[in-house]
Amino acid sequence: MKKNLYILFLFLTLSLTSFSPLGQHSYKVRTIVIDAGHGGKDPGCHGTTGVEAKVTLAVALELGRIIKENMPDTKVYYTRMSDNFIELHDRADIANRNNADLFISIHCNSGPSAAYGTETYVMGLHSSEDNLAVAKRENEVVLKETDYKKNYDGFDPKSPQAHILFSLYQNAYIENSILVASKIENQFAKRLGRTSRGVKQAGFLVLWKTAMPSALIELGYLTNAAEEKYLTNKTNQVYLASGIYRAIKEYKAQIEN
């Protein structure tokens, strides 16, 4: 772990002194990878009847459809298109293999029954115990994977120190990641009337090895009865996908111009 930490800080030093994503005027959003969280033997969180894996897949597929219809020059890839299990590192590999310019991972939250609202995460240091708790819940899926310690350099999903280490990896893309995440939360709040809990940072494994700006969206709390009803409604799923699409469109226009 100490050796990995040394290599990490060396990488960050070189990256931050030689690379500034926002300053690269040639940057284009030509390829987007959409990740529907969970699936298969990993259903994710759930409410009374709503299941995270089903909600995220519905929104992901609708988002891809809207992008293809309105941005015909932009390629769209999915990490999954059905209820199947994809390991977290494979999700990042799909984005990297297709030279994605943007990675969007879609999830639903869980917590106390009174908790509600959207929030969008980028890879970074945890600023609160709540952020760490969300990252730990999403990362514990690796326990369902084979050889997860080998795939994630000995990562222990139950260790707070491990989450902090992995949260440092994406600094090279932090500015653009925060930019698109902010636009997503703005769309949710202003266009859809959702309660936004803001843009946050935490160490998500699914974002760790993605070599591009990335964001993980928590659409709302399935453990809140009102939000569960909202999130499982097909019309609302289209609204959510449309909000994410508009944010991506604004992000694309801003960084390309």
Side-chain angles (χ1 to χ4, degrees):
M1 184 65 78
K2 289 183 178 179
K3 180 180 178 182
N4 288 343
L5 188 61
Y6 172 77
I7 294 172
L8 168 62
F9 279 107
L10 179 62
F11 165 76
L12 291 178
T13 300
L14 294 173
S15 297
L16 295 176
T17 56
S18 62
F19 182 72
S20 177
L22 281 177
Q24 292 204 354
H25 300 294
S26 61
Y27 183 75
K28 303 288 184 183
V29 180
R30 298 187 178 92
T31 303
I32 299 172
V33 169
I34 303 170
D35 173 45
H38 306 277
K41 63 182 179 180
D42 171 34
C45 67
H46 58 83
T48 304
T49 58
V51 178
E52 181 177 8
K54 293 182 179 180
V55 174
T56 61
L57 181 60
V59 175
L61 294 176
E62 179 62 19
L63 173 59
R65 185 195 67 78
I66 297 172
I67 293 174
K68 290 178 182 179
E69 184 176 300
N70 294 279
M71 294 181 179
D73 294 332
T74 302
K75 295 179 181 178
V76 174
Y77 295 95
Y78 303 93
T79 57
R80 69 182 181 95
M81 298 183 70
S82 60
D83 187 27
N84 59 316
F85 180 74
I86 307 293
E87 296 187 355
L88 294 183
H89 67 97
D90 285 335
R91 296 170 190 256
D93 286 345
I94 290 170
N96 294 334
R97 285 198 308 269
N98 289 289
N99 298 311
D101 302 298
L102 184 62
F103 179 81
I104 299 293
S105 187
I106 301 173
H107 292 257
C108 296
N109 225 332
S110 70
S113 60
Y116 63 94
T118 68
E119 53 193 26
T120 300
Y121 283 87
V122 300
M123 191 74 173
L125 286 172
H126 318 290
S127 59
S128 73
E129 287 298 316
D130 287 343
N131 293 11
L132 175 60
V134 173
K136 288 177 70 175
R137 181 180 69 80
E138 298 291 2
N139 289 342
E140 281 184 355
V141 64
V142 301
L143 296 176
K144 298 179 183 291
E145 300 181 10
T146 56
D147 298 328
Y148 75 85
K149 289 188 176 181
K150 176 181 178 182
N151 292 332
Y152 304 102
D153 296 348
F155 176 81
D156 178 2
K158 297 182 179 179
S159 165
Q161 292 79 13
H163 283 84
I164 291 172
L165 173 63
F166 281 92
S167 72
L168 296 172
Y169 269 91
Q170 263 231 332
N171 268 13
Y173 306 101
I174 190 70
E175 291 180 73
N176 278 4
S177 296
I178 290 175
L179 180 61
V180 71
S182 299
K183 291 184 181 299
I184 290 168
E185 284 301 308
N186 185 60
Q187 286 290 333
F188 285 164
K190 293 188 175 181
R191 291 290 189 97
L192 302 184
R194 302 296 309 285
T195 297
S196 172
R197 298 166 65 95
V199 175
K200 302 180 179 182
Q201 297 185 28
F204 290 94
L205 285 176
V206 73
L207 303 181
W208 167 39
K209 287 188 176 181
T210 52
M212 73 285 303
S214 305
L216 185 147
I217 304 166
E218 296 283 2
L219 297 172
Y221 284 78
L222 282 174
T223 46
N224 178 295
E227 289 223 311
E228 178 185 17
K229 183 177 180 180
Y230 180 93
L231 293 170
T232 55
N233 180 276
K234 292 185 182 300
T235 300
N236 292 332
Q237 291 170 354
V238 173
Y239 289 155
L240 288 165
S242 298
I244 300 169
Y245 159 73
R246 284 192 293 266
I248 292 173
K249 182 180 178 181
E250 288 181 359
Y251 167 78
K252 175 177 166 68
Q254 181 172 338
I255 64 170
E256 291 183 356
N257 293 332

